[in-house]
Amino acid sequence: MDNENRLLDLLGIASLGTIIFLSVALISKIQKIKQLLERVNKLDTALNETDEQAKLIVRTDIELNKAQEELDKKITGLYTLHRLSREISTTLEEKQIFEKIDAASLGELGFSKALAFMRDEQERKFNALLNIGYPEEDKEAIKLFLYGEERLFLEVLSGDNTLSSITKTHDARIIEKVKAKFNCVAFVIAPILPKEGNKGFIFVGTDNADVPLTEGDEELITILASQIGQALENARLFEKTWSAQQGLENKIRERTRELSAALEEVETVNRRKTEFVSNVSHELRTPLTSIKGYASILLAGKLGEVPPEVRLRLEKINKHSDELAQFVNDLLDIARLESGRVEMKLAEENLEKIAEEVADLLSVQLKDKQLELALEIPEEARKVQADYSQIKRVLINLVNNAVKFTPAQGKIKITGQKVDNQVQVDVSDTGCGIPREAQDKIFHEFYRVDNPINQQVKGTGLGLAMVKNIIEAHKGRVWARSLPGSGTTFSFILPQ
Ligand code: ADP
C-alpha cells in the first residue's frame, strides 16, 4: 500500500512537473506569438506607409512630368518669341515685318491660326497684313465681322487692352461670338500700338481643345504684339529718314547740276576772255613794232637831224613802247599759260644755279637800293624737276617785287629746303608787307594793293598771276605770308 501510494505520489509529482513544464512552455510560446503578432502589426503599418509613399512618389512623378512638359513648352515659346523679336526688329519694311511670322513659329507659340489687321484711320478700313490658316473667303467674312463689331475692335486699339478667351477679359457672350466667327476654341487678340501712324491688332487662335492654353501663352502674344508695334515704329522712322535723305540727295544732285552748268559757263567766258586777250595782244604787237621801228629810225637820224627836244620825246616814245611791248608780251604769256598752250619742258635742274643767275641779272637794281640778296640752298634741295626758263621767270618776278617793295638797305633771301619728296623755295624780304585781306588776291590778274607805295612803284598786276600759272603748270603751289611793316615771304613747292 505504501508503495502504491508512493507511486501515486510520484506520478502526481511527475504529472504536476509535466503540467508545470508544459505551462511554462505554453506561456513562453504565447509570449513569442505575441511578439510575432506585434512584429506583424508593425510590418503591416510599415507596409501601409511604404504603399502611401509609393503612391505619393508616382503622383509627384506624374506632376513633375507635367510640369516638365509645360516648362519645355514655355521654353520653346520663349525661344520662338526671342527669335521672332530679333527678326522683326531688324526688318525695316512694314509688310516684311508680318511676313516673319510663319505657321511653324505660330505652332511653337501654341497656336495654329493668325490674322493681323492694321486700321487705316483716314479711310476707316481694316487692312489684313497677315493670314495663317484661313481661306480667303473666311478672311473676308472675318473682316466684315470686324466692321460689324467696329466698336469692340476700336476699343482694343485705343485702350491697350487684350481680348482673350484664356483670361476671359470680356463678357462671355463676346468671347463666344469671337470664337465662333474666327472658328477657334481659344484665342488672344492683342493690340499693335506704334507711337505714330496706323494702329492694329494681331489675332492668334487654336482649334485644338486638348492642349489647354495658359496665361503665359497669352503673355507671349502680348509681348509679340508690342514687338511688332516697336518694329513698325522703327520701320516708319527709317522710311521718314530715308525719304528725307533721298530728298536731300536729289537737292544736292540738282545743285551740283546747276553748279556744273554755271562752272561750264564760267569756263566758256574765261576761255573767251583768254582768246580775246590773246587776239588783242597780237593786234597790239604789230602797230607797236611799227611805232618802235619809226621812233628808232628817227632817233638814228636817218631822216635828218633830230633836235634835242624831239630826241627827248622820241626816247620817251621808245621807252614807253618797250614797256607796252613788255605788257603785251606778259598778257600773251598769261593767256597762253591759262589756255594750257604752254608746255613745261621739265628736266632735272639745279635750283642754286637758277637763283645765282637771277641774282646776277638783278644785281644793278639791288645795288641801286643797297639791298643784300642772300642765297641759302643746301645740297639736298638743289635738284628740282622744272622748266629752267619758266622757273627763272618766277624767281625774277619774285625778287623783282622784293626789290620794288623793300626800302633801301633791306634784306632779301632765297632759301630752299627739302620737304618730303619736294623742294620748297622761299623768297623773303624786309619790305612793306601785304595786308592780310590782300594776301590771296595778289595772285589775281591786274590786282595791285591799294597803298601809297604802289602809287610810286610801277607795275601791271600781272607778275604774280604769271608766277601762279607757271607753278601750277609744274603741279606745285604758291602762297604768301606777310607781316605788314616787317616783310613778306613768297613760297612755292616744286616736285623733285
Ligand atoms: P605788280 O608788281 O606789277 O604790281 P604783281 O602781280 O607782281 O604786280 O604783284 C601784285 C601786288 O602784290 C603788287 O602790286 C603789290 O601790291 C603786292 N606785292 C607783290 N610782291 C610784294 C612784296 N614782296 N612786298 C609787298 N607787296 C608785294
Side-chain angles (χ1 to χ4, degrees):
M1 231 0 232
D2 271 355
N3 279 344
E4 236 176 66
N5 278 342
R6 219 178 276 155
L7 191 70
L8 276 173
D9 282 349
L10 276 172
L11 266 171
I13 288 165
S15 311
L16 200 67
T18 312
I19 286 166
I20 289 168
F21 175 74
L22 281 173
S23 301
V24 169
L26 198 69
I27 285 167
S28 108
K29 273 270 155 60
I30 286 169
Q31 269 177 346
K32 270 195 181 152
I33 286 169
K34 259 188 180 173
Q35 280 172 351
L36 272 173
L37 267 174
E38 266 171 32
R39 274 217 203 138
V40 166
N41 276 343
K42 270 189 191 161
L43 273 173
D44 197 33
T45 326
L47 202 68
N48 279 344
E49 277 175 9
T50 315
D51 194 35
E52 275 306 308
Q53 273 173 1
K55 277 185 193 155
L56 195 70
I57 287 171
V58 171
R59 261 205 318 274
T60 319
D61 190 43
I62 290 170
E63 271 168 27
L64 268 176
N65 274 343
K66 225 172 107 195
Q68 180 70 46
E69 250 173 52
E70 267 176 32
L71 206 66
D72 284 350
K73 210 177 116 203
K74 276 206 175 123
I75 290 174
T76 313
L78 278 172
Y79 266 128
T80 308
L81 181 67
H82 178 245
R83 180 176 51 76
L84 279 177
S85 300
R86 210 182 44 221
E87 285 176 14
I88 285 171
S89 64
T90 50
T91 309
L92 290 170
E93 219 180 290
E94 277 200 51
K95 234 178 134 201
Q96 280 179 9
I97 291 173
F98 291 96
E99 283 168 11
K100 297 284 171 195
I101 303 164
D102 56 3
S105 310
L106 196 66
E108 282 159 10
L109 290 173
F111 298 89
S112 55
K113 299 170 159 188
L115 284 168
F117 290 97
M118 295 305 288
R119 170 80 175 175
D120 185 333
E121 273 310 330
Q122 269 173 354
E123 297 200 12
R124 316 182 108 239
K125 268 169 67 182
F126 286 103
N127 296 321
L129 288 173
L130 168 73
N131 177 7
I132 298 173
Y134 288 99
E136 198 53 29
E137 59 272 21
D138 289 6
K139 187 192 85 185
E140 288 306 316
I142 289 170
K143 221 171 172 185
L144 284 180
F145 171 65
L146 298 185
Y147 291 115
E149 295 289 335
E150 207 169 24
R151 252 186 60 200
L152 170 69
F153 289 100
L154 290 184
E155 182 202 300
V156 172
L157 296 191
S158 64
D160 193 4
N161 285 327
T162 307
L163 171 55
S164 160
S165 70
I166 300 169
T167 49
K168 300 190 174 55
T169 52
H170 288 64
D171 196 84
R173 204 175 42 85
I174 295 176
I175 302 235
E176 286 314 313
K177 209 193 262 177
V178 174
K179 273 190 199 171
K181 286 290 169 187
F182 283 82
N183 190 20
C184 60
V185 293
F187 71 87
V188 179
I189 294 178
I192 298 169
L193 305 168
K195 277 198 195 103
E196 271 178 48
N198 293 343
K199 294 172 176 161
F201 63 79
I202 183 167
F203 155 91
V204 291
T206 176
D207 30 24
N208 182 0
D210 298 340
V211 185
L213 294 167
T214 62
E215 245 176 77
D217 298 312
E218 183 179 319
E219 205 163 320
L220 287 187
I221 299 304
T222 320
I223 296 171
L224 179 66
S226 93
Q227 297 282 355
I228 296 174
Q230 185 67 49
L232 282 176
E233 223 170 286
N234 292 346
R236 285 170 190 174
L237 201 72
F238 173 77
E239 174 70 30
K240 239 188 191 173
T241 323
W242 194 77
S243 43
Q245 190 194 326
Q246 211 61 8
L248 214 66
E249 271 176 20
N250 283 345
K251 265 190 197 157
I252 291 175
R253 230 171 279 139
E254 181 69 15
R255 275 290 142 80
T256 315
R257 241 198 321 271
E258 281 171 17
L259 279 176
S260 328
L263 190 71
E264 228 167 81
E265 207 171 314
V266 168
E267 276 171 1
T268 315
V269 171
N270 215 20
R271 221 176 10 255
R272 277 201 209 121
K273 182 208 78 180
T274 310
E275 275 166 21
F276 172 77
V277 169
S278 155
N279 291 342
V280 169
S281 312
H282 265 298
E283 294 303 318
L284 278 174
R285 263 218 304 215
T286 328
L288 251 178
T289 319
S290 309
I291 294 171
K292 229 182 107 55
Y294 287 126
S296 305
I297 291 170
L298 289 174
L299 272 173
K302 287 184 184 162
L303 297 176
E305 190 64 26
V306 183
E309 300 92 73
V310 180
R311 172 170 290 278
L312 197 70
R313 304 305 187 277
L314 279 175
E315 273 167 355
K316 277 203 173 162
I317 290 177
N318 212 9
K319 188 169 161 258
H320 289 304
S321 301
D322 277 345
E323 281 172 10
L324 206 57
Q326 183 57 48
F327 176 70
V328 169
N329 281 341
D330 282 354
L331 264 183
L332 257 177
D333 284 345
I334 288 186
R336 278 208 219 103
L337 280 165
E338 272 184 355
S339 65
R341 269 181 281 152
V342 182
E343 211 184 298
M344 296 294 129
K345 297 182 192 81
L346 296 185
E348 197 177 298
E349 302 292 355
N350 185 334
L351 182 67
E352 197 186 40
K353 194 171 153 239
I354 305 175
E356 276 168 356
E357 265 184 40
V358 173
D360 203 39
L361 213 75
L362 297 175
S363 58
V364 179
Q365 288 95 313
L366 287 163
K367 213 168 167 193
D368 281 353
K369 282 183 92 174
Q370 293 167 287
L371 295 168
E372 181 191 314
L373 173 64
L375 304 185
E376 278 176 25
I377 303 170
E379 181 74 43
E380 78 270 12
R382 285 182 195 155
K383 200 170 75 185
V384 285
Q385 279 292 321
D387 182 317
Y388 189 90
S389 58
Q390 298 290 359
I391 291 303
K392 188 168 158 190
R393 222 165 160 196
V394 166
L395 281 179
I396 291 173
N397 261 298
L398 295 179
V399 177
N400 207 13
N401 277 349
V403 172
K404 279 198 288 185
F405 298 102
T406 306
Q409 286 154 5
K411 284 193 174 115
I412 302 172
K413 199 156 74 176
I414 303 178
T415 46
Q417 56 175 311
K418 201 173 158 159
V419 180
D420 300 329
N421 263 346
Q422 315 180 89
V423 168
Q424 180 176 325
V425 184
D426 296 324
V427 178
S428 49
D429 60 50
T430 53
C432 62
I434 303 166
R436 179 164 291 277
E437 65 279 6
Q439 284 173 20
D440 282 334
K441 294 186 198 151
I442 48 172
F443 293 99
H444 298 172
E445 288 154 31
F446 306 111
Y447 183 86
R448 306 191 73 217
V449 177
D450 186 12
N451 59 19
I453 303 172
N454 251 351
Q455 274 153 28
Q456 296 158 22
V457 176
K458 272 194 178 170
T460 57
L462 286 177
L464 289 178
M466 182 134 50
V467 164
K468 188 168 185 272
N469 274 310
I470 294 174
I471 296 299
E472 283 176 359
H474 277 80
K475 300 204 168 33
R477 68 191 174 92
V478 59
W479 67 98
R481 268 171 297 130
S482 178
L483 202 62
S486 307
T488 306
T489 301
F490 280 91
S491 309
F492 62 88
I493 294 259
L494 278 181
Q496 268 201 306

